[in-house]
Amino acid sequence: MAQFRLARLCLMLAAIGVSAPALVTSAHAQQKDAAAPAAAAAQKDTVRPEIFKLLDPAAIKPLMDAKNHTEVQNRITQAEAFPNRTPYEDYVINRMKLSLGSSTNNNALAMPALEAVINSGRLTGAEQANFIQALANMHYNAKDYPKAIEWFKRYQKESPTPEAVRPALIRAYYLNNDFATAKTELAAMLAESQKTGKAPSEEDLRLLATAANKTKDDAGYLAALEQLVRYYPKDEFWVDLLSRGVARKAGFDEATFGQSMLRLEFAAAKNDLPPEHYTFLAETALRDGFPAEAKEVLDAGFAAGVLGKGGDAKTHTALRSKATKQAADDAKTIAAGEASAAKSKTGAGLVNIGWAYTTMGQADKGIGFIQQGIAKGGLKNADEAKLRLGAAQARAGKKAEAIQTFESIKGGGGASDIAKYWVLLLNQPGGAQTAAN
């Protein structure tokens, strides 16, 4: 999970203010009218002259400005030594402690003072909510996640903007190893956000995927991966998605659709595949008579700096040389195979000729042959041929036609999954261009 740190207490409190309230001495208040009910009420919010002398803001401010924190602490200590303090006197002392603690990054001093101030009942609604959030953030940064959760939830109850702390609360659940709650809350938050048309952040989607993985929720992990690929189509996400959503899915027919899956992976993430994926696709392409495809794949692997290094460097180079030679030979003889493919009892030869032309950079010509082959029938697997047709249409820049072809694929063994992810790729901003290159 990416680093998620909340604002430090001193920064938040600097924004909302931590100065002690204006002090009125009890002597001054009593001089106004000791018998009047109003004076009796005011008496509750005054401090004794002796405490006032110690904590007078006019005396404290120059000390704080001069960073004479030792003297400020001495004054607080002396004030705390007075017996029979009133609740308001305690409130004033705690406000002063909070100011000192936030200025000196002294959490041990600031946190209890902040909690006492919150529980004093003397803060306004907005100020109360801000101070609660500050304390929750402080517990979060101190990695006391149970307390952070407690205070974030209190903020949500007492603030008119409960959503303000929702991301932090979710992360506190996660870091407290309550992955199930984190996953549930995060999924709900993202669903609500997407209803408004707002794209989820990559960090939130990564967190959702990780929480799903922690709870062994394979379906949830896959759903999060699909969202990551939709909004943040990085190569690493594509490789993981196709591995989990196709290759490792129960019922996947690797013999029939393994190449089709790797072709999609190459189209989506050709610059950052595992080395064995480049070489396997190239080897099977050579085996099946598509040397131009093998050369294209190997060239991309070398260009990406993935192939041609380490202990397999010689093997990679030899395979590339073989593909390059066969591709050149195939370009000279492919036309001669058209007539033979047309006379065949099945459409397999036409589909193969069409895909060969496609891999040679002649996708428009290849599309026609593949369509003829599908129409002729007798194919071992029609869905595999349709996947090649859709890929050829994508290479030709015919996005709408490609999507229509892929959406017509409903078969099992991984065919419909591969088709679904082709549509996902084509519908991404720039996805059609990526598939065409």
Side-chain angles (χ1 to χ4, degrees):
M1 184 180 69
Q3 182 68 24
F4 184 89
R5 185 169 178 83
L6 299 169
R8 290 174 60 187
L9 180 68
C10 60
L11 298 178
M12 173 167 279
L13 296 185
I16 62 180
V18 295
S19 59
L23 305 188
V24 180
T25 66
S26 56
H28 177 67
Q30 290 167 354
Q31 287 171 3
K32 290 182 177 181
D33 189 346
Q43 177 74 13
K44 296 178 182 179
D45 287 349
T46 59
V47 298
R48 282 169 275 182
E50 298 87 349
I51 295 178
F52 178 86
K53 182 178 179 180
L54 291 168
L55 302 183
D56 182 0
I60 293 294
K61 186 178 185 306
L63 294 172
M64 293 289 282
D65 291 343
K67 299 188 184 302
N68 190 351
H69 300 132
T70 299
E71 176 58 23
V72 176
Q73 180 61 67
N74 288 338
R75 287 170 174 258
I76 291 172
T77 301
Q78 291 178 59
E80 284 189 298
F82 280 88
N84 304 316
R85 294 189 307 274
T86 67
Y88 183 70
E89 288 171 337
D90 281 337
Y91 170 69
V92 169
I93 290 171
N94 281 312
R95 287 290 294 242
M96 194 62 70
K97 282 183 175 181
L98 180 54
S99 181
L100 178 60
S102 64
S103 297
T104 58
N105 294 320
N106 185 341
N107 293 349
L109 177 65
M111 290 179 73
L114 179 54
E115 184 168 348
V117 167
I118 292 169
N119 291 331
S120 70
R122 295 176 178 276
L123 300 177
T124 64
E127 190 177 32
Q128 175 85 346
N130 287 336
F131 275 50
I132 290 172
Q133 185 178 9
L135 183 56
N137 288 358
M138 199 170 189
H139 281 299
Y140 182 98
N141 288 337
K143 299 184 180 180
D144 187 350
Y145 301 116
K147 292 296 290 185
I149 291 167
E150 175 188 331
W151 285 97
F152 282 133
K153 291 175 74 173
R154 180 168 171 180
Y155 175 90
Q156 289 188 322
K157 290 180 181 178
E158 298 186 22
S159 168
T161 57
E163 68 281 357
V165 300
R166 199 172 184 185
L169 174 60
I170 289 168
R171 283 158 176 77
Y173 280 126
Y174 179 91
L175 293 168
N176 197 44
N177 296 325
D178 188 352
F179 305 118
T181 301
K183 180 185 68 173
T184 300
E185 292 293 322
L186 184 53
M189 184 181 78
L190 293 179
E192 292 170 15
S193 178
Q194 287 179 279
K195 285 180 182 178
T196 66
K198 181 180 179 182
S201 72
E202 181 180 339
E203 183 184 1
D204 281 341
L205 290 174
R206 281 180 178 270
L207 183 61
L208 180 61
T210 305
N213 195 43
K214 293 282 189 180
T215 56
K216 303 187 184 305
D217 179 4
D218 293 339
Y221 183 86
L222 186 60
L225 263 182
E226 290 177 357
Q227 293 296 304
L228 279 166
V229 164
R230 176 172 285 109
Y231 293 103
Y232 307 97
K234 296 181 179 180
D235 291 351
E236 62 180 290
F237 299 150
W238 267 111
V239 171
D240 197 9
L241 174 63
L242 295 178
S243 173
R244 290 174 180 264
V246 181
R248 291 162 55 184
K249 193 172 181 180
F252 176 56
D253 183 353
E254 183 176 1
T256 303
F257 298 113
Q259 262 190 307
S260 295
M261 189 276 288
L262 288 174
R263 283 169 178 151
L264 169 57
E265 184 184 63
F266 181 70
K270 63 181 56 136
N271 296 319
D272 193 23
L273 298 180
E276 63 272 17
H277 288 206
Y278 289 107
T279 56
F280 182 76
L281 179 55
E283 288 167 350
T284 53
L286 282 172
R287 179 199 67 193
D288 293 342
F290 305 117
E293 181 179 28
K295 179 181 181 301
E296 176 190 19
V297 170
L298 293 168
D299 285 347
F302 273 87
V306 177
L307 301 182
K309 58 173 60 175
D312 293 325
K314 289 184 178 180
T315 301
H316 296 160
T317 301
L319 185 62
R320 188 187 193 188
S321 297
K322 179 180 179 182
T324 300
K325 181 180 183 305
Q326 289 189 16
D329 294 340
D330 202 38
K332 298 174 184 177
T333 60
I334 186 172
E338 293 179 19
S340 174
K343 294 177 183 178
S344 176
K345 293 182 180 180
T346 73
L350 290 167
V351 171
N352 287 337
I353 287 283
W355 184 247
Y357 272 122
T358 297
T359 61
M360 292 176 182
Q362 302 179 60
D364 284 317
K365 187 173 184 178
I367 289 169
F369 282 106
I370 297 174
Q371 288 173 327
Q372 290 176 45
I374 292 173
K376 192 169 188 178
L379 302 173
K380 185 176 181 180
N381 192 294
D383 281 337
E384 193 275 333
K386 287 182 180 180
L387 287 169
R388 286 201 234 176
L389 174 60
Q393 291 166 329
R395 284 185 178 227
K398 301 178 184 295
K399 174 182 173 180
E401 294 176 23
I403 289 176
Q404 185 177 14
T405 297
F406 288 128
E407 288 181 340
S408 72
I409 298 173
K410 307 295 183 183
S416 61
D417 295 315
I418 296 169
K420 176 179 72 172
Y421 293 136
W422 262 111
V423 173
L424 177 59
L425 172 63
L426 292 172
N427 279 329
Q428 289 173 340
Q433 183 64 36
T434 297
N437 290 336

